Amino acid sequence: MTQQAKVSNFNLPNALTALRIAMVPFFGAALLVDGGESVTWRTVAFVLFAAAMITDKIDGDLARARGQVTDFGKIADPIADKALTGMAFIGLSIVGDVWWAVTILVLLREWSVTLLRLSLLRRVVLPAAQSGKVKTTLQALALGGLSLPLRQVDGSLDLPGEILFYVTQAVLAAAVVMTLWSGYEFFRDVWRARQDTARTSSKRVQ
């Protein structure tokens, strides 16, 4: 515990997390250029989104491998993830590629889980469930794919782009299902953890 407290916040994993947060407004701006109709800027938005998702994987692996897990990283990392995916959902709803109802439902789930997890950080440790990992992967694939100018291209790429657009919509539907399911599992596990804590406290009093 003492060794963990000595880890400096100024390290590469945290720098990558901060970079990911800084990329969010640039990703959003690129996605919304010309109302989302610019092929060039939609491609730029995809590159920024992909780069941010890659840093998400790298910073976590580096932090664990180097023993550089910090309180800042524990808090900033999920915030960076939700800021990026939240911007993607909102931006894609603004340009008309994702229904607003889907965006609102997903964001309510994501931020309620994130805020509750952060509030329990020092008292209850809940490891990431497999459903949450599947959800994250599906969201990344769907949001990354929809960030591309799939319906803005002309000529020979018009039909493939249209097909890929609906394929990514199907992936998004699967992501929404997993988002809701993993949210249910999280709240269920929190409830069970609290019940176990209450029973343990009761036995100690007796």
Side-chain angles (χ1 to χ4, degrees):
M1 181 66 68
T2 303
Q3 184 178 4
Q4 178 68 20
K6 292 181 179 178
V7 177
S8 172
N9 284 324
F10 296 97
N11 55 54
L12 182 57
N14 285 349
L16 290 174
T17 299
L19 175 63
R20 193 158 74 256
I21 294 174
M23 292 170 69
V24 171
F26 293 100
F27 161 72
L31 184 63
L32 297 175
V33 170
D34 292 335
E37 293 300 316
S38 171
V39 172
T40 300
W41 284 106
R42 288 289 286 258
T43 303
V44 170
F46 168 79
V47 171
L48 290 173
F49 183 86
M53 295 306 298
I54 291 172
T55 63
D56 180 31
K57 171 65 175 173
I58 293 174
D59 64 20
D61 290 345
L62 282 176
R64 288 184 290 270
R66 296 184 176 187
Q68 294 179 326
V69 177
T70 64
D71 288 339
F72 172 83
K74 291 177 182 178
I75 295 172
D77 188 69
I79 290 176
D81 296 341
K82 299 307 177 286
L84 179 64
T85 56
M87 182 69 257
F89 271 108
I90 292 171
L92 289 169
S93 290
I94 290 174
V95 301
D97 288 344
V98 174
W99 290 342
W100 276 108
V102 170
T103 291
I104 293 170
L105 181 64
V106 170
L107 294 189
L108 284 175
R109 180 275 180 202
E110 294 286 67
W111 281 103
S112 63
V113 167
T114 297
L115 293 174
L116 181 56
R117 186 183 289 275
L118 291 175
S119 70
L120 298 173
L121 200 57
R122 294 185 179 277
R123 289 176 291 165
V124 180
V125 177
L126 294 174
Q130 186 62 34
S131 60
K133 296 177 182 178
V134 173
K135 177 266 300 183
T136 299
T137 301
L138 290 174
Q139 280 191 7
L141 291 173
L143 296 173
L146 290 172
S147 296
L148 284 166
L150 299 178
R151 297 199 295 178
Q152 286 72 35
V153 293
D154 296 318
S156 60
L157 295 177
D158 184 34
L159 180 59
E162 195 73 15
I163 293 174
L164 284 175
F165 175 79
Y166 287 107
V167 169
T168 53
Q169 288 286 357
V171 176
L172 178 63
V176 172
V177 171
M178 289 306 301
T179 297
L180 297 178
W181 176 253
S182 62
Y184 159 75
E185 288 189 329
F186 175 79
F187 284 106
R188 180 199 63 192
D189 292 345
V190 168
W191 172 259
R192 289 177 177 176
R194 285 182 170 178
Q195 292 293 98
D196 292 341
T197 300
R199 280 194 292 267
T200 301
S201 299
S202 177
K203 288 180 181 179
R204 288 177 179 174
V205 171
Q206 293 174 357

